[in-house]
Amino acid sequence: MSEEKDQVLVKRTLRGDRKAFEMIVRKYHQPLLNYVGRMVGERELALDFTQDVFARAYASLRSYAPQFKFSTWLFKIASNLIIDHWRKKKLPTFSLNEPLGSDEDGLTLDVPDDEPGIGRKFELAEIGRRIEGALEELPGPLRELFVWRHINELSYEEMAEIKGLPVGTIKNRVFQAKEMLRRTLQEMS
Amino acid sequence: MSCLTIRDIYEYIEGGLSRERNHELERHLSFCPACRRAVEERRLIAEAASGLTPFAAPDDFTDRVMTRVALLKIKRPAWLIILLTATAGLAVFSLLLMASGGSLLGLVAGASHSFWGFLKTGAVFTAKAATLLSLAVKTLRPLLEAGTKGLSMLTSLVHPGFQALILILALGAAVSLFLGMRKKLSLGD
């Protein structure tokens, strides 16, 4: 289904056609649930949150600007909802604009020669299972980017649009999230 | 070329490098087993992450969302509310004005009249000031010229020593005149 079709569905919904919004829900509930689920951890909570995302999107559909992709608009609503949830639960969070440490992200380091490889120890399915566990160890903002990139397969441009940050910053943070997750996997094995 | 940095590896896996840089990295990878292992490892993790099991949504998820949405109304965006409020306010103001015997057109005409009146007064004042200034220049210029001519003639006739004496006496007279005037006008210290 193309972006143009999304715009048509939005227009139809605004004219009062609820069936059009139902089509939007059918199209986007799975990617949103995959994202929200990995962010909040609990299945029931993830289902509630995803419902909230659609309810908020419906109520504020008139404020959607058609020059942006509809999917990125939905992810932005979801992301704001999750940030609110983190704040309420007083979970640690930070701005992706802030530097994280003196070495920044370790991305400029050369590859160490004697690293034990995870790939040689486990099968692909086992690595997948371990990634689920390692994801929970990642700081929220980095986990979000990792999920968007690898599970939702969003482009860097789409992520930059959602977060309102430059593409370069987002790319850096995604690489940083990947590297942090790999180190966690190493520690876990 | 030295070993790859971690950023190089991620850029290489994602195909984000220029053709030249890509060739350069591939040449290095062909003889560096450590870098090759590092690339393979990160590629494997990315592959495993992309194949993670999706969060399963219940069959009635869309129905649940639509039941919730049925209770909602699509809100008007804030800018539209502001515009509508301003229009309503203007309409109420006009009605009140008409009820009080005035008219909106009269008010507009009054405001316009004051504006033109202000503009007219300003223009007349500027023209008068310009005329006065040019008259003053015309009158004072010959007087100043005659004064300087007379002074130069006088200085050519009088001995320089006597000129200095006259200057000192004139300065003394000016100072005593100033002090006398200050006392008379009670200017104080």
Side-chain angles (χ1 to χ4, degrees), chain A residues 3-4 19-20 29-30 37 51 58 60 70 82 88 91 113 117 122 124 127 132 140 143 156 164 168 171 184-185 189:
Chain A
E3 184 59 31
E4 262 174 64
K19 277 276 166 205
H29 80 260
Q30 193 56 66
Q51 275 193 44
Y58 180 80
S60 52
F70 187 71
I82 283 162
K88 271 181 208 156
L91 291 172
D113 208 12
F122 307 109
L124 201 64
I127 298 172
E132 293 279 17
R143 193 190 327 156
Y156 289 118
K171 201 173 193 181
T184 312
L185 282 173
S189 62

Side-chain angles (χ1 to χ4, degrees), chain B residues 25-97:
Chain B
L25 257 66
E26 275 173 352
R27 259 199 312 277
H28 176 81
L29 287 170
S30 65
F31 63 78
C32 179
C35 284
R36 230 175 15 243
R37 268 202 309 276
V39 170
E40 277 162 22
E41 169 125 325
R42 283 157 182 87
R43 193 178 266 151
L44 193 73
I45 293 171
E47 206 181 312
S50 300
L52 289 180
T53 328
F55 255 71
D59 293 339
D60 64 343
F61 183 78
T62 306
D63 295 337
R64 277 199 233 171
V65 174
M66 291 315 292
T67 310
R68 198 164 153 193
V69 159
L71 305 170
L72 299 170
K73 273 189 177 175
I74 301 177
K75 285 187 249 170
R76 304 216 167 262
W79 65 265
L80 194 65
I81 293 167
I82 292 166
L83 192 72
L84 288 173
T85 314
T87 314
L90 201 66
V92 169
F93 176 69
S94 310
L95 283 171
L96 286 172
L97 202 74

Side-chain angles (χ1 to χ4, degrees), chain B:
Chain B
M1 182 192 161
S2 58
C3 277
L4 309 188
T5 64
I6 289 157
R7 187 193 306 278
D8 282 337
I9 295 175
Y10 286 122
E11 289 279 15
Y12 173 71
I13 292 171
E14 297 204 350
L17 296 170
S18 67
R19 192 183 287 178
E20 296 79 48
R21 183 79 182 132
N22 211 54
H23 279 314
E24 209 178 316
L25 257 66
E26 275 173 352
R27 259 199 312 277
H28 176 81
L29 287 170
S30 65
F31 63 78
C32 179
C35 284
R36 230 175 15 243
R37 268 202 309 276
V39 170
E40 277 162 22
E41 169 125 325
R42 283 157 182 87
R43 193 178 266 151
L44 193 73
I45 293 171
E47 206 181 312
S50 300
L52 289 180
T53 328
F55 255 71
D59 293 339
D60 64 343
F61 183 78
T62 306
D63 295 337
R64 277 199 233 171
V65 174
M66 291 315 292
T67 310
R68 198 164 153 193
V69 159
L71 305 170
L72 299 170
K73 273 189 177 175
I74 301 177
K75 285 187 249 170
R76 304 216 167 262
W79 65 265
L80 194 65
I81 293 167
I82 292 166
L83 192 72
L84 288 173
T85 314
T87 314
L90 201 66
V92 169
F93 176 69
S94 310
L95 283 171
L96 286 172
L97 202 74
M98 276 188 269
S100 67
S103 75
L104 189 63
L105 278 173
L107 186 80
V108 172
S112 153
H113 181 75
S114 317
F115 175 72
W116 283 114
F118 173 75
L119 212 67
K120 230 160 82 182
T121 316
V124 169
F125 176 77
T126 316
K128 277 183 181 170
T131 316
L132 278 171
L133 203 71
S134 70
L135 264 173
V137 168
K138 270 181 197 165
T139 324
L140 287 174
R141 207 168 156 186
L143 273 174
L144 277 169
E145 275 172 5
T148 46
K149 214 183 242 176
L151 204 66
S152 65
M153 267 178 71
L154 204 69
T155 47
S156 65
L157 293 172
V158 180
H159 188 270
F162 197 59
Q163 276 183 40
L165 187 69
I166 292 172
L167 195 66
I168 290 163
L169 284 173
L171 273 171
V175 169
S176 41
L177 192 68
F178 170 75
L179 290 171
M181 288 295 281
R182 200 177 67 160
K183 205 169 179 184
K184 194 85 177 161
L185 296 169
S186 310
L187 292 173
D189 291 323

